[in-house]
Amino acid sequence: MAPLVDNSTVVENLSEIYKKRFQNSTSCEELLANYTFDPLVLIDVDWKTFYFWNAAKEPLHMFRFSVPYPVLVDRFRTELNLTPPVDWNRTALFMETSNDFSALFISTNTSGRFRIVTNLDFYHDLPYTEMAIKLVKPFYVILLQCEFRFGYALAPFDDMPDEKHIDDAISVLGIKSEFNETYLYEEQFYSQFSMLDDHKNEDEYEDEEYLDDEL
């Protein structure tokens, strides 16, 4: 029996919806215009998302960039057969995140624009993907997915903009997009759960006291 839903059609339709929603957002071409990127600036800093523009809310993660060891690049090179072929000699960065996602950034002919090859490529046939990286003063990083134009702004974990300064930090990014959100939503989200847990514990304590009195 043929499947009721053609998964490839669903994915294609979702892609078109995503493109339409973000068609007026900042593009990689706009982001990187007249910009020269130095990848070494990102090295050995613990970064965290403080702002993102994406139709889906998700937990915010830590990022860390490093210069990839040749043995790591060789593992990707020998185990993956990707289309179009990868010029592994142009590997510039290795990125790891706190949710076990990692990627090699392969330089393109545009400074700051990279083809990414991820650890998920070992298990799935993923489409060709490019991302842009831009450093913005005073010390923020923009990661932008070039096809769908969603992205993330990162700050050093030890120097995250607080609620008082978050608007100033966002203003220097120069990003235009919908579905904007800051990391403060996550703190508010978990604080609400914490309050619910506190109320639950109070109710349980009162129930125990009531039972003790009855006994």
Side-chain angles (χ1 to χ4, degrees):
M1 179 182 293
L4 296 177
V5 178
D6 183 348
N7 288 335
S8 62
T9 302
V10 171
V11 171
E12 184 177 344
N13 290 340
L14 287 174
S15 297
E16 289 305 313
I17 291 172
Y18 227 92
K19 286 179 182 178
K20 288 179 181 178
R21 285 188 172 186
F22 285 86
Q23 63 183 349
N24 295 321
S25 300
T26 299
S27 67
C28 286
E29 290 77 11
E30 292 170 323
L31 181 70
L32 298 175
N34 303 313
Y35 175 71
T36 301
F37 176 67
D38 179 7
L40 296 181
V41 177
L42 306 183
I43 303 301
D44 295 332
V45 178
D46 291 321
W47 301 93
K48 185 176 180 181
T49 306
F50 73 88
Y51 181 66
F52 65 96
W53 47 107
N54 194 337
K57 288 188 177 182
E58 56 184 281
L60 305 181
H61 305 293
M62 300 286 293
F63 293 76
R64 193 169 180 87
F65 296 88
S66 60
V67 176
Y69 289 107
V71 65
L72 175 66
V73 178
D74 283 343
R75 186 199 167 199
F76 277 75
R77 186 202 315 264
T78 56
E79 296 188 26
L80 296 178
N81 183 21
L82 301 177
T83 304
V86 180
D87 185 353
W88 299 105
N89 294 322
R90 303 191 71 177
T91 305
L93 286 169
F94 180 58
M95 181 189 77
E96 299 173 277
T97 73
S98 54
N99 65 329
D100 295 325
F101 178 80
S102 60
L104 289 176
F105 282 67
I106 317 298
S107 297
T108 67
N109 292 329
T110 301
S111 181
R113 186 164 179 154
F114 301 88
R115 176 182 183 176
I116 64 167
V117 181
T118 79
N119 57 331
L120 300 180
D121 283 291
F122 287 93
Y123 312 104
H124 306 284
D125 185 17
L126 299 178
Y128 178 94
T129 302
E130 289 188 355
M131 293 196 75
I133 308 180
K134 184 175 183 178
L135 185 71
V136 179
K137 293 181 179 180
F139 200 40
Y140 302 135
V141 171
I142 297 173
L143 290 176
L144 180 63
Q145 206 271 7
C146 292
E147 182 179 6
F148 298 115
R149 302 187 183 186
F150 64 83
Y152 310 86
L154 317 178
F157 178 70
D158 294 331
D159 196 20
M160 293 280 283
D162 57 22
E163 187 171 2
K164 183 179 179 181
H165 299 97
I166 191 75
D167 289 337
D168 291 336
I170 293 170
S171 67
V172 304
L173 300 175
I175 292 292
K176 62 178 188 292
S177 183
E178 300 178 15
F179 308 103
N180 307 322
E181 194 66 83
T182 76
Y183 78 99
L184 298 173
Y185 98 87
E186 190 174 57
E187 293 187 351
Q188 294 166 356
F189 178 79
Y190 286 113
S191 67
Q192 290 174 355
F193 270 93
S194 178
M195 290 173 61
L196 288 174
D197 286 339
D198 290 342
H199 284 305
K200 180 181 178 182
N201 292 334
E202 289 176 3
D203 292 341
E204 290 176 350
Y205 178 74
E206 290 174 357
D207 289 342
E208 290 175 359
E209 280 194 327
Y210 174 78
L211 288 173
D212 289 339
D213 291 341
E214 288 295 305
L215 294 173

